[in-house]
Every structure is written in structure tokens, then in C-alpha cells.
Amino acid sequence: MWQAFIPPARAGAAPGNVAVMTSRGHSPADRLPVEAYTLPDTYAPTRRPVDQATTLIPDAYTSEAFYALEQERIFATSWVHVATTSDFETVGDTVVADVAGRSIVVVMADDGRLNGFHNVCRHRGTELADAGCRHVGRAIRCPYHAWAYDLGGACIGTPLFTGSEIPEDQQGVFDMSDAEGFDRAAYDLFPVRVETWGFMVFVNLSVAAAPLADHLGDLPARTAGYRLEDWRVVADRTYDIAANHKLVGENFMEYYHLPWVHPELVKVSRLRDHYRWQGAGMYTGMTTWPISQNSDAGGWQGLTPAPYLSGADAEAGRFIWLFPNVAVNLLPNHALLLTAQPAGPDRTIEQLRLLIPGTTEPGTATDDGVANLLDFWHLVNTQDIEIVERVQRGLSNPAYEGGPMCYRFEEPVHRFQNMVIDRMLGIERVPEGDDEEHVPMFEQS
């Protein structure tokens, strides 16, 4: 039986009233002083076992101060998905991404490796590449004073280098070779760690962070049969969501809302076929097994499954939320990535990317099957966006203090929220998984 949770009194709050912090350093959305966001007592109700726990504090979704701290403690220290391997086919191919408020450049070098750098020139700090840049050629060249860097980040010109547009009779004035105290080798680009898993490219701003393998845990082993390194992107869409990125993730990782929010989806994703599929790693995992046939409104079928899949992989849909902000949906015939890029406490830019196995025949990207899958996912995603925006508006109401976890269905949400709390408290910990591979999420009578 559920027991009512009475939240602890807050500093500055009179009995029965809600204190809204408006002093310097706080926005009207802050209900707690900033220093509280790094104290264990703030999160004690969410640290309880899931059948006794309450949700993460509302400030985590509404406060500018919490958002700023979260950028530093979570996004600046985690492995963050920024691209797919499909984005890099030739030397010089580039992706520019925002990570923890920093602009990052990932580029394919001559040896085929992916290198990452802070998107800032070592001369005067100019941003080197525009947000939409997809190719830099054989060198990264600053648009301000033409300093240039090779694809390994080494400074190769200041500004004289191959392809310089300075007239030959004027080049001497720019020659810095005899400048006293200037060592070009000391002005390489600031590096950023880059690693890949399957078709996904990750960066980490922290030099002290553990390798990506520690972050992923058992996911590479669990998904080895999919041969993810061969999959390629065939379609994408972008959504601007008026909600916190964590709400997008928490909505993804629970099926409690399906009957009411997704009348079409629930026809092809039956409640009794849902299981938790969760091992050790910085992720939450669910599975639908077996996959149902399409309904009149669409579904997950329509393309030929990868012929090499076997066992449950050939019959199930795997739904992974990889901390901190990307959904990885793996089905026998396609994959879907949903990246929730935070753009403020109440705004998320979400990128949807549809991928198909490498065994799929060329030209499938224009087939009706891909278009139908994209339409179906768009329908489901639009329904989710509408509901998480309603949640965001509700959380912004000072009357709401947090609610109980519905333990049968919201264990993954509880797991995720505790990952957030760990990082806000400076704790590095990879959660353990279930003893069984498939744990029913809905009890059968």
C-alpha cells in the first residue's frame, strides 16, 4: 500500500507556503539554494528503494542553476553521443557538436581515425568551424587570421601554408618563423577524447574519466549479434521540445503511459510482451518480445530483418537509454537513435536518426518501408513530445513537490534518476544489472 510522502521543510519556507528563491544567483524556478544541489540530504527521498522512493526534485527540471551545475557535473564528465560512423566516410569529414556548452569538432583524419578538439583557435580564440560544418578538407583553418591545423590538431601554419591566398609579394610580413619565443608546436588544438561503439561516436571532455567500455558495461556483449558497426543512417528528423531533456529520457524508459498516450503503439507493443533487459552499465534497458505484426496505423515491420540475427535478437525490440541523453532502439530490421540535446532547463533539441543493417540492399533508403517506419516513429514521438511538454508545465507549478514511484513500471526511471544524483554528488558509479536477462515489467494473473 502506498503511503503519502510529506516533503521535508525547506529553508525559508513558512508552514503551508512555498518559498520561491529570488535572491542573487537564483531564478524564480529555484525552490532550493544552489548549494543544496550538491548535498546528499536533498536527494534522500529518491535514494530509497524504488517501492518507497519519490521522484527527483522539481528543480532538476526547472532551475537554471541546477541546469548549469548539471552541465558541468554530468555532461562535462560523461561519454556523450555526438555522431554516427555514417557521418565520416572520407578524410576531412566533420561533425560540430555542443557538449556541456562547449563547441566540439570531430574530424576524420588521414589514417581513418576520428579525432576530437575544442572548436577554438589557439591564436585569439575564434570558433573554427560553423555548427553545420560537415567537411574541412585537409586542414582546419581559422576564418579570422588563417592559422591552420592538420587533422591531428597540430598547428601547421600561422598563416602561411599550402593554399594560402596571400599574394606572394606580401607573404613575408606574415612570416612568424623568426618570432622570439614562438613555438608553433606549443599551439596545437585542445584535444577531446573520442571513442566509438558500433555505429555511435562519443566524446568525453574529462581526461580523468574511465574508458567508454566502463560506461557501456555489458551492452557491447549483449548486442554483439547485431553487428552494429555495419549499420548506416538512412533518414533523420529534428524536434524542438519545450521540456527538460531528462523528461524526454524518463518518458522513453517506462511503459506505464502506453495505453493512454500511444493508442497506436500499444497495438504493436503489447503490455504483456514487455520485459526489463538490464545489465551492468550506465543505461536502462527494456525489451518487447516478441515483436507484433503491424496494425493499420503502422508498426515496426516493413524492412527485411538482418539475416544473421538469431534467438531473441531476431524476434525482439531492444530499447536502451544510454546515460546521459541518448536512446538506442534496436530491432531486427532497423535501429532508431533519439538524442536529447539539452538547450536549457525547459528546452531540448532532439535528433531522430533511422538506421538499417549493412546487409540491406542499396537503394532501401528510398523504399516505402523506410518512409513508413519514419512516419510511425514520428507519430509515436509526437505523442511523447506533447505529453512531456505537459509534464514540464506541471513541474513548473510551485505546488508540485514530487510524487511516488510506481515501482512495478518505473524501476528504470528510478535507476536513471539515481545516476543523475550520483553525478550531482560527485560519485562515479556504474549500476549493477538484473540477475535474469528478461524480467517481466507487467505481472500476469
Side-chain angles (χ1 to χ4, degrees), residues 3 11 21 58 68 89 97 114 120 122 176 235 302 365 368 393 414 432:
Q3 293 183 336
M21 306 298 294
E89 296 181 349
L114 298 181
V120 55
R122 292 298 308 275
M176 294 179 62
D368 289 342
R393 295 193 296 271
H414 182 255
E432 298 178 354

Side-chain angles (χ1 to χ4, degrees), residues 236-242 338-339 341 348-352 374-375 377-379 381-382 385:
D236 60 75
R237 289 187 180 182
T238 301
Y239 302 84
D240 194 331
I241 305 173
L338 290 170
T339 306
Q341 174 67 36
T348 300
I349 304 300
E350 183 183 66
Q351 183 183 39
L352 178 155
L374 194 62
D375 287 345
W377 279 116
H378 174 70
L379 170 66
N381 201 42
T382 299
I385 290 171

